[in-house]
Amino acid sequence: MTTGALSGIAAPADWRWRALWSVAPRVKEFGRPELSPLSVYLDAGVVPRDSRGDNHNQLGEDLSRYLVVRPYDIVFNKLRTWQGGLGVSKHEGIVSPAYFVCRPDAASDSRFLHYLLRSKPYLAELTRISKWMPPSQFDTPWETLRKLPMLLPPLEEQRRIADFLDAETARIDGLVNAEQRVLDRLVERRTAGVVTAVSGGEHAGRRASTLAWLDSIPESWQEVRVGLMARMGSGHTPSRSHPEWWVDCTIPWITTGEVKQVRDDRLEDLYETREKISELGLANSSAELHPKGTVFLCRTASAGYSGVMGSDMATSQDFVTWTCGPRLNPHFLLWCLRAMRSDLLGRLAMGSTHKTIYVPDLQMLRIPVPSLDEQGEIIDAIRRQNSRIDNLTDKVRRQVELLTERRQALITAAVTGQFDVTTAIGRNVTDGVTA
């Protein structure tokens, strides 16, 4: 960093560098517990805690030690500043001592300061000055943050830039929200397509279903308990108190860490696991070695997510498994489990914070069963449908990424004087600027 400036920023001639403490000094005003508690979220800025479903005084906090926040104050979440955990408050309220409250002076526009702090070079600098705290947090010390060089144009220019960015970012945010609605519809369409397929939606002759998650099935289909067509199994964790059981680990071992791979329902067959167990650990625990093609379902923590073993594998006790017999295609069972996930979680999962599906309920699980040939046809139809939808989803997500990148480039270019906002309206203002 150059003296009194942020490295990599070439300031226009009439712009000035000032330390954060002289632009927006920190304020410590206590003693207003009757005000609404506020929080700073990465995606929403400064908002009342209750608006996000948080119980602000769940632990009986002493609100008299909370800091008063006034409209236009800049509030920093000291543990999340490096991620952009800061914002301009529109509310009068209070925040916990885990925040810094700064009040801009008369020569500074709080909106401009907010955009400046969210520009690419400033987010990088906030990350650099934050200190890692075990086990997994970062802290931004005030003594370091207060010295942050702030690049300021004249006040009227600050206001013009803030007005411009308010309008342009709102426009981009509107486009992102529209794209997000498209993504939501694609997810719904994909899920509905899977349910329709495993329930034989193309059949005309139908009868009422006795399954809680289906209205009807083809007249020729059966509704069968999974345990009659597949051997149910489970898993276990070899004792960590025997280190010799954790040597020469070669057996793939499915834990809740693998849920990440199957969470979006794109991956059917799992081949890689983060952890492995040994032959000795397997022999001295209740863990089982399940054959390739066995279906697994997570029943705790990330309950409801499922996949098919791509090779012989074991699992932790967080999973239940089914090794299918000759009448049941494992991939058909997989798509049935994915189609009924909302029912599993809504009707069978127990617990308020961490959902658990208990084994006795899973032992009684039933699915619709067509012939083996038709199971294969349904699997192929699901894969074709999902491939089309997933391709569309990827394209929309890329558009969201491009819009997000454009938003960041626009903010950075405007607050560092790379273009004149008074002449920028109506053209692509990010052409030729550094992202």
Side-chain angles (χ1 to χ4, degrees):
M1 183 189 300
T2 58
T3 302
L6 206 63
S7 179
I9 297 179
D14 59 340
W15 293 30
R16 297 289 181 264
W17 292 98
R18 293 175 59 190
L20 175 63
W21 68 266
S22 69
V23 174
R26 183 182 180 186
V27 292
K28 295 182 180 180
E29 182 182 348
F30 300 103
R32 299 283 304 280
E34 75 278 5
L35 296 176
S36 297
L38 308 174
S39 284
V40 178
Y41 295 92
L42 299 182
D43 60 341
V46 184
V47 297
R49 276 204 216 177
D50 290 344
S51 70
R52 298 293 293 261
D54 294 336
N55 183 346
H56 65 265
N57 203 20
Q58 184 176 3
L59 301 179
E61 298 167 282
D62 180 6
L63 299 185
S64 67
R65 300 302 302 161
Y66 272 39
L67 301 166
V68 173
V69 176
R70 300 187 184 281
Y72 307 110
D73 283 351
I74 297 177
V75 185
F76 295 84
N77 181 336
K78 63 175 72 175
L79 300 181
R80 305 294 292 275
T81 295
W82 65 283
Q83 294 177 299
L86 57 99
V88 177
S89 182
K90 297 179 180 179
H91 314 277
E92 184 177 30
I94 51 176
V95 293
S96 80
Y99 296 89
F100 299 132
V101 180
C102 295
R103 192 157 295 159
D105 62 18
S108 306
D109 185 279
S110 58
R111 296 173 303 147
F112 176 85
L113 297 180
H114 182 220
Y115 284 123
L116 184 66
L117 290 164
R118 285 189 171 277
S119 66
K120 188 172 182 179
Y122 276 86
L123 288 175
E125 182 62 11
L126 290 170
T127 299
R128 189 190 71 80
I129 67 176
S130 296
K131 296 181 178 180
W132 182 75
M133 292 171 39
S136 59
Q137 289 184 320
F138 283 82
D139 178 60
T140 307
W142 173 249
E143 286 307 309
T144 305
L145 182 62
R146 68 188 295 274
K147 300 173 186 176
L148 186 68
M150 304 293 286
L151 179 58
L152 295 182
L155 182 58
E156 287 306 312
E157 181 68 7
Q158 292 180 45
R159 290 170 176 164
R160 282 195 296 271
I161 292 172
D163 289 343
F164 171 81
L165 289 176
D166 282 349
E168 291 298 313
T169 57
R171 183 175 63 83
I172 294 173
D173 291 344
L175 294 173
V176 170
N177 290 337
E179 297 284 18
Q180 188 58 56
R181 288 193 292 272
V182 172
L183 289 175
D184 293 342
R185 298 294 86 74
L186 287 171
V187 170
E188 293 173 2
R189 179 178 171 187
R190 192 183 196 272
T191 301
V194 171
V195 173
T196 298
V198 300
S199 63
E202 295 185 356
H203 287 257
R206 307 183 67 80
R207 62 179 174 84
S209 172
T210 61
L211 303 178
W213 54 283
L214 288 179
D215 293 327
S216 66
I217 62 171
E219 292 177 348
S220 60
W221 288 21
Q222 296 178 297
E223 294 172 326
V224 181
R225 185 161 61 86
V226 178
L228 297 177
M229 297 179 295
R231 181 179 64 84
M232 192 174 184
S234 61
H236 195 257
T237 300
S239 175
R240 301 279 186 180
S241 63
H242 290 270
E244 68 274 17
W245 295 356
W246 292 89
V247 177
D248 298 325
C249 297
T250 58
I251 300 171
W253 186 52
I254 301 174
T255 67
T256 53
E258 273 62 65
V259 170
K260 182 179 180 181
Q261 296 189 54
V262 297
R263 188 176 290 275
D264 64 0
D265 287 352
R266 292 197 180 193
L267 183 73
E268 293 183 61
D269 298 285
L270 182 72
Y271 292 96
E272 298 291 334
T273 60
R274 298 190 309 172
E275 296 189 69
K276 295 181 180 181
I277 60 174
S278 67
E279 295 279 357
L280 190 59
L282 182 71
N284 286 278
S285 72
S286 298
E288 304 176 50
L289 184 62
H290 304 285
K292 174 183 177 180
T294 295
V295 180
F296 62 88
L297 173 75
C298 186
R299 63 179 194 85
T300 67
S302 299
Y305 293 96
S306 52
V308 177
M309 296 180 183
S311 63
D312 295 354
M313 295 180 173
T315 77
S316 71
Q317 61 274 16
D318 301 293
F319 292 83
V320 67
T321 65
W322 290 277
T323 303
C324 297
R327 292 181 54 205
L328 183 60
N329 187 311
H331 290 95
F332 181 78
L333 172 58
L334 172 69
W335 287 111
C336 284
L337 291 173
R338 290 178 172 181
M340 70 170 80
R341 181 184 298 129
S342 60
D343 179 66
L344 287 174
L345 296 179
R347 188 170 57 87
L348 300 182
M350 306 296 289
S352 56
T353 304
H354 298 292
K355 297 287 188 180
T356 298
I357 307 173
Y358 291 99
V359 171
D361 289 324
L362 292 171
Q363 288 174 331
M364 302 306 297
L365 207 63
R366 295 185 303 139
I367 59 171
V369 182
S371 68
L372 199 60
D373 287 343
E374 190 169 1
Q375 290 177 39
E377 293 170 0
I378 289 171
I379 293 165
D380 290 340
I382 289 174
R383 288 171 177 167
R384 288 193 300 270
Q385 172 215 254
N386 288 352
S387 178
R388 291 192 299 269
I389 294 177
D390 291 345
N391 286 335
L392 288 172
T393 298
D394 290 341
K395 290 178 181 178
V396 176
R397 284 178 176 164
R398 181 54 183 156
Q399 289 299 313
V400 171
E401 290 173 1
L402 291 173
L403 286 166
T404 302
E405 292 170 5
R406 175 183 171 86
R407 189 184 194 277
Q408 181 62 72
L410 180 63
I411 291 172
T412 299
V415 298
T416 56
Q418 292 185 40
F419 64 88
D420 182 358
V421 299
T422 60
T423 61
I425 298 174
R427 64 181 181 88
N428 186 352
V429 294
T430 54
D431 281 348
V433 302
T434 303

